[in-house]
């Protein structure tokens, strides 16, 4: 039946912007369509008739009956949250009280009622539901009941309800790695469970899985159903340990060290997140050390970093949540707990940035892209038609442009580290970060210079290579070689990498100095060859730029010269020279005109018309 996936897909489709009113309208439309298909709608113009109750046989025959119950529950839940969000956004209101609160509780009660009806139907063997279907329905009902208890401020009942949903979703998530289970746990169940524990004044040092197991109901049937899916789901781990996805028991860290300071971890969520990040790091390091990891492409290696980055991000989020909780409680920034959390925040953020930079370095290729080769270029060289077909300039420039984007992202990450609490006061660490920044700036200049060299702009390439060489020399002295050869690439830089970059840049600078010199010589030669001899430019003042080798053309060349001038005057017929009888000639035509008119006037036809 996939109850959880169906609910998750419905919410994901509409609730991206958090508009519960739109989600309520969406569920209403879907519910009407389903009832129309099932023949449960009242025809137009007829009196309303109550809908028949859903039976177990109906559920076994058509899964649409399950969807009608789910959509009815979701519609009531969306209406409750829409009212709650509308009243919470009103700054003038003093909380949700009176009729509004009663209406919200009524809607949540109705939503939980539909979910409970679904659980009762699936418990009947005639429904044909599997154990997983029943567990998903129980978890869904427990989530809605927990929301109802949370609104009623019944904290112990809220803890029990959300404990049921957390244990079931965690057990189902062990077998089926679905996003729906993980998102429901991280987005709804865990925050509500932690808030209820806070209201009950339970210690934060106790992790959420232990809280869920301790508040899980003692119903034998429910426990047996859950243990069928995961036999160890109700077994609480030993203090200071956690169970990994592979079933192994891992020790939780109790302290965290940043530079020379070590602080205790009082929040269990941070300890669990750090333990998960450490497990992901060890898996990544072991995979990269294997033959499959060494022979993998840069994209596959970068994809392997994602699990570590996600786990590190969870640690960052857990630390931020703990700090926000203390701030909401009014704890002073000078408090010992707040100071410890600030140090933890700097440490986990630095670790997260380090893994992000490591992924960028892997995507750049071997040796951080110093030699300009990638997996795609190597594959082209190894192909059969590599001698005939060479990679086009456009592809080369696109690859270099992508690499520049990665270097820009790395530089932004280093700038983010400088803004973390306590970093600016550590001058040695700031100097070390400046050296690393210069190293990646040198790589960026090197990559841009290569793009100019592809386009044939050798002067620009030489300037960029010279700038990169100066930056690499700046990064050589303050860097401390702390990275080992077997570790996955992160933010640490070794002296060998800097020396490799510097030697490569020295070679490129020498090479392109020669190319620029040859380009200048060829320009001068072409300029002197195209310039006319001095004897033909006597009207120009040469100044100091007189070329004594270009005075006259030698040996003389055959050139066309004009034999005699050719005179064409198109206005010859219109030129009139002054004469003595010019006035007499001009008066004679004027006197002759009237006689002509009189002569013409005498010639007429029979009817007086002129011919």
């Amino acid at each position: 039946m996939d109850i959880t996936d169906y609910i998750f897909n419905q919410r994901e489709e509409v609730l991206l912007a958090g508009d519960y009113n739109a989600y309520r309208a969406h569920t209403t439309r879907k519910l009407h369509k389903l009832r129309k298909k099932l023949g449960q709608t009242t025809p137009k113009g007829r009196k309303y008739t109550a809908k028949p109750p859903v039976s177990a046989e109906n559920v076994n025959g058509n899964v649409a009956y399950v969807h009608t119950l789910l959509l009815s529950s979701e519609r009531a839940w969306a209406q409750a949250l829409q009212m709650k969000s509308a009243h919470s956004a009103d700054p003038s209101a003093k909380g949700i009280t009176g009729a509004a609160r009663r209406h919200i509780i009524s809607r949540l009660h109705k939503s939980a009622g539909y979910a409970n009806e679904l659980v009762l139907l699936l418990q009947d063997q005639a429904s044909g539901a599997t154990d997983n279907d029943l567990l998903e329905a129980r978890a869904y009902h427990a989530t809605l009941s927990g929301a109802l208890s949370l609104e009623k401020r019944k904290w112990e009942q809220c803890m029990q309800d959300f404990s049921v949903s957390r244990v079931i979703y965690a057990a189902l998530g062990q077998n089926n790695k679905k996003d729906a289970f993980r998102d429901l746990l991280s987005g709804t169940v865990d925050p509500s469970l932690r808030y209820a524990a806070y209201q009950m004044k339970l210690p934060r040092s106790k992790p959420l899985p232990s809280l869920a197991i301790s508040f899980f109901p003692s119903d034998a049937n429910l426990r047996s159903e859950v243990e069928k899916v995961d036999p160890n789901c109700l077994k609480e781990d030993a203090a200071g340990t956690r169970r990994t996805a592979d079933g192994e028991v891992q020790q939780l860290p109790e302290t965290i060290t940043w530079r020379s300071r070590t602080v205790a971890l009082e929040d269990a969520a941070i300890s669990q997140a750090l333990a998960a990040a450490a497990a992901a790091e060890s898996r990544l390091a072991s995979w990269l050390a294997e033959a499959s990891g060494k022979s993998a492409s840069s994209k596959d290696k970068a994809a392997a970093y994602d699990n570590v980055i996600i786990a590190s991000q969870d640690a960052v989020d857990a630390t931020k949540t703990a700090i926000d909780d203390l701030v909401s409680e009014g704890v002073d920034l000078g408090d010992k707990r707040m100071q410890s959390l600030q140090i933890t925040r700097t440490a986990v953020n630095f670790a997260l940035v380090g893994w992000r930079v490591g992924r960028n370095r892997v995507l750049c290729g071997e040796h951080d892209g110093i030699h300009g080769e990638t997996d795609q270029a190597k594959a082209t060289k190894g192909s059969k038609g590599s001698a005939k077909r060479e990679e086009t300039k456009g592809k080369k420039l696109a690859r270099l442009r992508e690499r520049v984007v990665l270097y820009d992202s790395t530089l932004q990450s280093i700038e983010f580290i400088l803004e973390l609490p306590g970093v600016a006061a550590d001058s040695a660490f700031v100097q070390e970060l400046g050296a690393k920044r210069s190293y990646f700036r040198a790589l960026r200049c090197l990559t841009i210079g290569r793009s100019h060299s592809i386009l044939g702009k050798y002067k620009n390439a030489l300037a960029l290579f010279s700038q990169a060489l100066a930056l690499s020399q700046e990064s050589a002295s303050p860097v401390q070689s702390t990275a080992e050869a077997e570790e996955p690439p992160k933010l640490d830089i070794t002296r060998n990498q800097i020396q490799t970059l510097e030697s490569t840049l020295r070679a490129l600078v020498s090479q392109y100095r020669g190319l620029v010199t040859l380009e200048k010589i060829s320009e001068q030669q072409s300029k002197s060859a195209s310039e006319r001899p001095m004897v033909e430019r006597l009207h120009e003042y040469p100044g100091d730029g007189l070329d004594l080798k270009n005075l006259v053309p030698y040996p003389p060349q055959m050139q066309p010269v004009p034999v005699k001038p050719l005179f064409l005057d198109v206005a010859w017929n219109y030129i009139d020279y002054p004469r003595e009888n010019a006035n007499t000639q001009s008066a004679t035509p004027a006197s002759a005109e009237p006689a002509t008119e009189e002569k013409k006037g005498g010639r007429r036809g029979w009817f007086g018309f002129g011919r």
Side-chain angles (χ1 to χ4, degrees):
M1 294 180 184
D2 293 333
I3 295 173
T4 307
D5 282 342
Y6 183 77
I7 295 298
F8 180 74
N9 292 333
Q10 295 298 322
R11 293 182 181 180
E12 190 179 29
E13 185 178 352
V14 184
L15 272 181
L16 291 176
D19 189 356
Y20 293 101
N21 196 23
Y23 183 54
R24 178 192 175 190
H26 170 76
T27 53
T28 302
R29 289 192 299 269
K30 295 279 289 186
L31 185 60
H32 180 70
K33 289 180 181 178
L34 278 178
R35 285 176 175 171
K36 196 172 183 180
K37 289 180 181 179
L38 296 173
Q40 293 183 350
T41 55
T42 303
K44 190 175 182 180
R46 295 188 183 181
K47 188 178 180 180
Y48 173 77
T49 56
K51 298 173 182 60
V54 181
S55 63
E57 290 76 11
N58 293 335
V59 172
N60 191 10
N62 193 348
V63 74
Y65 287 98
V66 176
H67 294 168
T68 56
L69 292 174
L70 291 175
L71 289 173
S72 301
S73 177
E74 285 291 292
R75 181 173 63 174
W77 173 80
Q79 185 180 3
L81 290 192
Q82 189 269 332
M83 290 188 293
K84 188 174 181 179
S85 61
H87 284 277
S88 300
D90 188 5
S92 61
K94 297 180 180 179
I96 304 175
T97 57
R101 183 168 178 269
R102 289 194 297 270
H103 197 184
I104 292 172
I105 292 174
S106 172
R107 294 294 91 190
L108 290 175
H109 181 74
K110 186 174 183 179
S111 176
Y114 282 117
N116 187 35
E117 183 181 354
L118 178 61
V119 172
L120 295 177
L121 286 173
L122 296 183
Q123 284 178 345
D124 193 347
Q125 294 182 355
S127 63
T130 61
D131 294 338
N132 284 353
D133 294 335
L134 181 57
L135 281 177
E136 289 185 22
R138 284 187 182 277
Y140 178 63
H141 172 249
T143 303
L144 295 177
S145 300
L148 177 61
S149 301
L150 186 69
E151 197 62 36
K152 289 182 176 180
R153 297 169 187 169
K154 296 181 179 180
W155 307 119
E156 187 173 357
Q157 182 64 35
C158 178
M159 287 287 295
Q160 292 179 3
D161 292 332
F162 280 114
S163 296
V164 171
S165 59
R166 196 198 190 285
V167 170
I168 292 176
Y169 282 140
L172 293 174
Q174 290 290 336
N175 298 330
N176 300 322
K177 306 293 183 181
K178 292 183 179 180
D179 294 337
F181 298 137
R182 186 180 68 249
D183 290 349
L184 285 173
L185 282 175
S186 60
T188 304
V189 178
D190 286 350
S192 303
L193 195 62
R194 177 60 68 187
Y195 181 73
Y198 168 74
Q199 292 293 337
M200 294 181 67
K201 294 182 171 48
L202 297 176
R204 293 182 61 89
S205 58
K206 194 169 185 179
L208 287 179
S210 300
L211 283 174
I213 292 173
S214 60
F215 279 89
F216 196 84
S218 58
D219 187 0
N221 294 330
L222 179 59
R223 284 178 173 268
S224 62
E225 290 175 2
V226 176
E227 287 177 348
K228 284 181 183 178
V229 180
D230 186 7
N232 299 322
C233 63
L234 294 177
K235 293 180 181 179
E236 190 172 355
D237 299 329
T241 60
R242 67 180 287 271
R243 190 174 298 276
T244 62
D246 301 333
E248 300 178 357
V249 177
Q250 183 184 8
Q251 190 72 25
L252 294 179
E254 297 179 356
T255 59
I256 188 171
T257 302
W258 166 248
R259 304 289 285 175
S260 60
R261 298 193 61 178
T262 301
V263 295
L265 295 174
E266 299 178 357
D267 197 319
I270 300 176
S271 299
Q272 285 191 326
L274 288 175
E281 291 173 13
S282 62
R283 287 195 297 269
L284 174 63
S286 61
W287 181 75
L288 290 177
E290 295 174 357
S292 59
K294 292 179 180 179
S295 61
S297 63
S298 59
K299 290 185 178 180
D300 293 337
K301 291 180 181 179
Y305 274 73
D306 290 342
N307 294 329
V308 184
I309 292 174
I310 291 172
S312 301
Q313 184 65 53
D314 292 340
V316 172
D317 295 340
T319 307
K320 185 179 182 301
T321 303
I323 293 175
D324 293 341
D325 291 343
L326 290 182
V327 171
S328 62
E329 293 176 9
V331 178
D332 187 39
L333 293 177
D335 189 82
K336 182 181 178 181
R337 293 175 296 170
M338 185 66 76
Q339 291 293 322
S340 300
L341 285 175
Q342 292 292 348
I343 294 173
T344 306
R345 176 192 172 192
T346 302
V348 295
N349 275 284
F350 179 75
L352 174 62
V353 169
W355 289 112
R356 286 178 178 172
V357 172
R359 181 178 61 180
N360 292 344
R361 294 175 70 179
V362 167
L363 285 173
C364 289
E366 295 182 1
H367 305 290
D368 297 331
I370 294 176
H371 302 299
E373 293 184 357
T374 59
D375 298 330
Q376 185 178 1
K378 292 178 182 178
T380 306
K381 289 181 180 179
S383 59
K384 294 182 180 179
S386 60
K388 298 181 180 179
R389 183 182 300 175
E390 188 179 356
E391 195 175 12
T392 60
K393 286 185 179 181
K395 290 184 178 180
K396 292 180 181 178
L397 293 174
R399 193 172 66 246
L400 293 174
R401 194 179 298 114
E402 292 174 358
R403 195 173 295 172
V404 170
V405 172
L406 293 174
Y407 292 140
D408 288 337
S409 175
T410 301
L411 292 172
Q412 290 177 3
S413 300
I414 294 175
E415 294 293 337
F416 172 74
I417 294 174
L418 292 171
E419 298 174 359
L420 292 175
V423 172
D426 194 345
S427 58
F429 184 61
V430 171
Q431 187 179 6
E432 185 179 345
L433 284 178
K436 294 175 181 178
R437 184 171 177 270
S438 299
Y439 174 77
F440 288 107
R441 285 182 62 196
L443 289 173
R444 185 177 183 273
C445 291
L446 170 62
T447 306
I448 299 175
R450 282 206 169 99
S451 64
H452 281 278
S453 66
I454 291 173
L455 296 174
K457 300 177 181 179
Y458 298 132
K459 291 182 181 179
N460 296 345
L462 176 60
L464 288 164
F465 292 151
S466 300
Q467 177 68 13
L469 180 59
L471 290 171
S472 64
Q473 291 172 351
E474 290 179 7
S475 64
S477 54
V479 168
Q480 299 176 0
S481 180
T482 57
E484 298 179 2
E486 300 297 330
E487 288 185 355
K490 289 193 291 186
L491 190 56
D492 297 326
I493 302 169
T494 61
R495 293 192 180 277
N496 292 332
Q497 292 171 342
I498 296 177
Q499 290 174 0
T500 303
L501 175 62
E502 190 173 348
S503 61
T504 303
L505 287 171
R506 287 185 186 278
L508 287 172
V509 168
S510 301
Q511 176 186 356
Y512 278 84
R513 276 179 182 167
L515 290 174
V516 170
T517 304
L518 291 175
E519 190 177 23
K520 285 184 178 180
I521 293 173
S522 62
E523 286 179 359
Q524 291 176 358
Q525 290 178 353
S526 62
K527 183 178 179 181
S528 61
S530 61
E531 195 173 11
R532 293 185 301 166
M534 188 61 197
V535 71
E536 298 179 6
R537 296 183 291 110
L538 295 177
H539 59 283
E540 297 178 2
Y541 178 69
D544 296 334
L546 178 61
D547 187 7
L548 298 178
K549 296 181 180 180
N550 195 19
L551 296 177
V552 293
Y554 183 82
Q557 299 177 357
M558 187 71 70
Q559 294 181 354
V561 295
V563 178
K564 57 183 178 180
L566 186 62
F567 181 74
L568 294 175
D569 194 349
V570 295
W572 174 260
N573 296 329
Y574 297 93
I575 298 175
D576 191 12
Y577 292 94
R579 296 182 178 86
E580 295 180 357
N581 55 353
N583 296 330
T584 308
Q585 291 179 358
S586 61
T588 303
S591 60
E593 286 180 1
T596 306
E597 290 180 359
E598 291 178 0
K599 189 176 182 180
K600 287 182 179 179
R603 292 182 179 182
R604 294 183 180 275
W606 290 97
F607 301 101
F609 299 107
R611 291 182 180 179

